[in-house]
Amino acid sequence: MMPSSVIKYFSYQPALKLLTITFVTGLVYQYLDVPERTFKLFKAATSKGRYFNYHIKKRFKFEKVEN
């Protein structure tokens, strides 16, 4: 994974269509019903933060994971 100034780590569970993103702030969010194609494009994006802002942030329901 390429480093990002906003996103520290991310993972995807295809069977659940669940994208989990850990931000550099330490906050963790799970994005629901994310198609595998969206995840693959996110993974391949040069700028993870930009792709997240334009294609994930306001398009999918999410929940904060308590850590």
Side-chain angles (χ1 to χ4, degrees), residues 4 10 12-13 16 18-19 43 51 55 57 61-62:
S4 168
F10 59 88
Y12 183 70
Q13 297 176 54
L16 301 175
L18 184 68
L19 175 62
K43 187 177 177 181
Y51 188 90
H55 300 286
K57 187 175 183 178
K61 291 183 180 179
F62 62 88

Side-chain angles (χ1 to χ4, degrees), residues 42-59:
F42 173 61
K43 187 177 177 181
T46 305
S47 171
K48 303 289 185 274
R50 186 176 296 134
Y51 188 90
F52 169 77
N53 284 331
Y54 286 110
H55 300 286
I56 297 172
K57 187 175 183 178
K58 295 185 179 177
R59 294 191 180 190

Side-chain angles (χ1 to χ4, degrees), residues 1-66:
M1 283 180 241
M2 299 179 76
S4 168
S5 59
V6 179
I7 296 168
K8 183 177 180 181
Y9 177 78
F10 59 88
S11 63
Y12 183 70
Q13 297 176 54
L16 301 175
K17 294 186 177 180
L18 184 68
L19 175 62
T20 303
I21 298 179
T22 302
F23 293 90
V24 294
T25 59
L27 296 176
V28 181
Y29 287 87
Q30 291 183 326
Y31 293 83
L32 314 173
D33 295 319
V34 177
E36 191 165 358
R37 182 176 189 277
T38 300
F39 167 69
K40 287 181 177 179
L41 291 169
F42 173 61
K43 187 177 177 181
T46 305
S47 171
K48 303 289 185 274
R50 186 176 296 134
Y51 188 90
F52 169 77
N53 284 331
Y54 286 110
H55 300 286
I56 297 172
K57 187 175 183 178
K58 295 185 179 177
R59 294 191 180 190
F60 298 99
K61 291 183 180 179
F62 62 88
E63 49 195 36
K64 184 178 178 186
V65 177
E66 297 300 324

